[in-house]
Amino acid sequence: MYDCIVVGAGPAGTTTATRLSKAGAQVLLVEKENLPRYKACAGAVSGRAANLLTINPATVAEDVIRKVKVCWGNRQADPIEYVSESPIAHLVMRSRFDLLLAEAAIDAGATLHDGEKVEALDLDHSDMTVRTNRSTYRAKTIVGADGALGITARQSALYVPKSSGIAMEIEAQVPDSRLAEWRSTVLVTYGRPRHGYAWLFPKSGHLSLGIGSFVPRRSDLITNFNAFTSSLGINWRKEDLRAHPIPLGGGKRQFRRPGLILAGDAAGLGDPLSGEGIAHAVHSGILAADSILNALETGDFSMDDYQNAIEAEINANLKIARQLASVFYAMPKLFYRLFRTNREILTWYFELVQGKRQYQEVWELLGTILSPQILTSIEGQAKENCP
Ligand SMILES: Cc1cc2nc3c(=O)[nH]c(=O)nc-3n(C[C@H](O)[C@H](O)[C@H](O)COP(=O)(O)OP(=O)(O)OC[C@H]3O[C@@H](n4cnc5c(N)ncnc54)[C@H](O)[C@@H]3O)c2cc1C
């Protein structure tokens, strides 16, 4: 009988396992892939995420970002540039980053079973069981940290359909001269798709190129991705493209049931404005561990404290991010122009990523820049475009 079985060894699951194990709980961490495993992800560990981590992302960083070039519609001439003396993000390959997090969990005392897939849960709380392709285990609590496509949310009836965006990515091999051109710099281009952006993130030996759309409706992402990569002179093969849903936070939902908690992407905590998810995965992992420790100590397995903490510390911010996203993606060109003419809004946006500002501050700044009439008209359009 484990105190907790954590399903999934991404940032959410490994953070939960580490924190629980450090406090002396008996933890089994089950991961269906053999580690290290590839995860489709641009790998930007934001300042906000770094502030929450117990490991140092710099130890596995492929690059440290200090400059962002922002373009419109794949026109790379005359970009808007944001430069920061402090790191904007550490860029990692998720295989190495997640392995480091898993090793921290093992060092803390967690048992890791990788290459083992959870296939079914029996959630009768007096005796919860987790069945995998190898065995069956009993646990007092379960954490579903099995990502956007995991089974825990579905089997616990906590899954919320139609709340995901989508992102896709390739890892492009390019000559060293092209890599050098992008050192410490990322490219973000808005306009295609309308409700998202395309990106170029440099890694130590290649470039990660991707595109994401942050509305539940799908736009023509592959066509837009082709246009983006062509504008950079980069060819790719269809079989190299990796796509994955991005579950968008900020909505009303349950994150727990007695004895069971959802964390990270499984709980739908992706940022509806940027698609960022690592920071919220780590943060929810911390809150999950604290709630479980409380349950083990008090015998109250309602996990209500987790629901409240996620609402207050994460989802309230994601609600504002959702508001910002619906306004931003209703009129992306207006915001692109605003970025060019108003350095303050551009700076505040990236300071948000760096963990130096809160969503509420950015929302309030927007209110002071845009007249109430413009804001109301954009919000009206936003409701039509991003229901
Ligand atoms: C293309 C793309 C680019 C992105 N770029 C960024 C970025 O730059 N920065 C950022 O912050 N976020 C980014 N994100 C979002 C980020 O990847 C996720 O929010 C983050 O990985 C969530 O972490 P997690 O631990 O909740 O889930 P995951 O990282 O998805 O981990 C879940 C784990 O559970 C395992 N699992 C699933 N099912 C089972 C099962 N049945 N049994 C056992 N194990 C199971 C999986 O194998 C996986 O290892 C991006 C997403 C995409 C798709």
Side-chain angles (χ1 to χ4, degrees):
M1 169 75 89
Y2 288 95
D3 289 324
C4 183
I5 294 179
V6 180
V7 186
T14 49
T15 301
T16 312
T18 302
R19 198 168 170 93
L20 279 174
S21 303
K22 276 186 180 165
Q26 296 298 311
V27 180
L28 175 63
L29 177 59
V30 189
E31 166 58 51
K32 72 176 162 112
E33 305 289 340
N34 287 309
L35 298 183
R37 58 96 177 87
Y38 179 83
K39 159 85 177 79
C41 182
V45 179
S46 66
R48 193 170 6 168
N51 291 342
L52 295 161
L53 286 165
T54 51
I55 54 122
N56 180 0
T59 57
V60 287
E62 307 256 321
D63 204 350
V64 181
I65 296 310
R66 294 175 196 278
K67 190 198 271 187
V68 184
K69 289 187 178 183
V70 185
C71 296
W72 178 261
N74 297 331
R75 285 188 289 279
Q76 275 110 41
D78 192 26
I80 304 167
E81 291 191 352
Y82 172 75
V83 182
S84 169
E85 278 180 16
S86 55
I88 300 166
H90 287 87
L91 293 190
V92 301
M93 286 307 288
R94 286 289 301 277
S95 47
R96 289 176 69 206
F97 177 71
D98 289 17
L99 181 63
L100 188 67
L101 287 168
E103 285 168 352
I106 295 166
D107 288 348
T111 303
L112 170 70
H113 287 190
D114 63 342
E116 183 165 345
K117 185 177 181 186
V118 172
E119 294 181 337
L121 307 171
D122 180 352
L123 300 175
D124 171 9
H125 185 247
S126 56
D127 190 12
M128 293 202 293
T129 57
V130 173
R131 183 166 56 75
T132 72
N133 56 342
R134 286 196 211 148
S135 190
T136 300
Y137 308 95
R138 291 168 62 223
K140 293 178 191 160
T141 59
I142 294 172
V143 174
D146 44 356
L149 299 170
I151 68 159
T152 319
R154 285 172 176 80
Q155 293 213 355
S156 57
L158 295 174
Y159 178 67
V160 177
K162 291 189 188 157
S163 60
S164 285
I166 190 161
M168 46 188 72
E169 190 169 77
I170 55 162
E171 313 293 347
Q173 301 303 323
V174 293
D176 287 353
S177 56
R178 291 220 67 188
L179 271 182
E181 203 184 306
W182 291 103
R183 209 31 77 225
S184 302
T185 305
V186 299
L187 170 68
V188 173
T189 165
Y190 290 103
R192 290 184 75 174
R194 179 173 175 146
H195 301 105
Y197 60 90
W199 67 80
L200 178 158
F201 285 11
K203 302 288 165 63
S204 55
H206 68 274
L207 299 175
S208 294
L209 294 132
I211 194 162
S213 174
F214 308 121
V215 284
R217 256 197 331 254
R218 306 284 179 255
S219 43
D220 195 352
L221 272 193
I222 295 203
T223 309
N224 285 323
F225 190 55
N226 255 323
F228 174 59
T229 50
S230 300
S231 74
L232 290 158
I234 287 173
N235 299 317
W236 50 278
R237 297 173 312 167
K238 225 174 167 185
E239 57 269 31
D240 294 334
L241 188 67
R242 310 287 284 266
H244 201 76
I246 298 208
L248 305 170
K252 223 176 157 192
R253 68 176 286 174
Q254 296 298 313
F255 301 104
R256 58 81 180 89
R257 51 172 282 166
L260 182 141
I261 274 173
L262 298 180
D265 273 11
L269 298 176
D271 184 316
L273 182 63
S274 65
E276 176 185 1
I278 296 171
H280 304 305
V282 172
H283 194 167
S284 59
I286 293 170
L287 298 177
D290 289 350
S291 171
I292 287 164
L293 290 172
N294 185 44
L296 294 172
E297 195 181 315
T298 62
D300 173 3
F301 285 86
S302 67
M303 307 306 187
D304 289 347
D305 55 346
Y306 182 71
Q307 179 75 23
N308 296 337
I310 290 280
E311 281 298 346
E313 293 185 35
I314 302 179
N315 212 33
N317 282 320
L318 292 179
K319 270 190 188 114
I320 305 168
R322 189 177 271 240
Q323 268 169 262
L324 281 166
S326 65
V327 169
F328 185 96
Y329 293 121
M331 284 199 172
K333 190 142 200 187
L334 182 141
F335 279 88
Y336 178 73
R337 290 203 185 112
L338 203 59
F339 277 166
R340 195 177 280 291
T341 51
N342 189 309
R343 295 296 301 180
E344 199 180 15
I345 189 101
L346 183 74
T347 303
W348 282 39
Y349 177 72
F350 287 107
E351 285 181 354
L352 178 73
V353 174
Q354 287 170 285
K356 295 177 183 171
R357 293 207 180 268
Q358 295 298 322
Y359 290 91
Q360 181 65 31
E361 285 181 272
V362 178
W363 180 249
E364 282 167 14
L365 176 69
L366 210 57
T368 63
I369 292 170
L370 298 175
S371 72
Q373 291 92 325
I374 292 183
L375 209 53
T376 313
S377 126
I378 298 176
E379 276 178 324
Q381 285 205 36
K383 277 195 190 111
E384 275 175 37
N385 291 329
C386 314

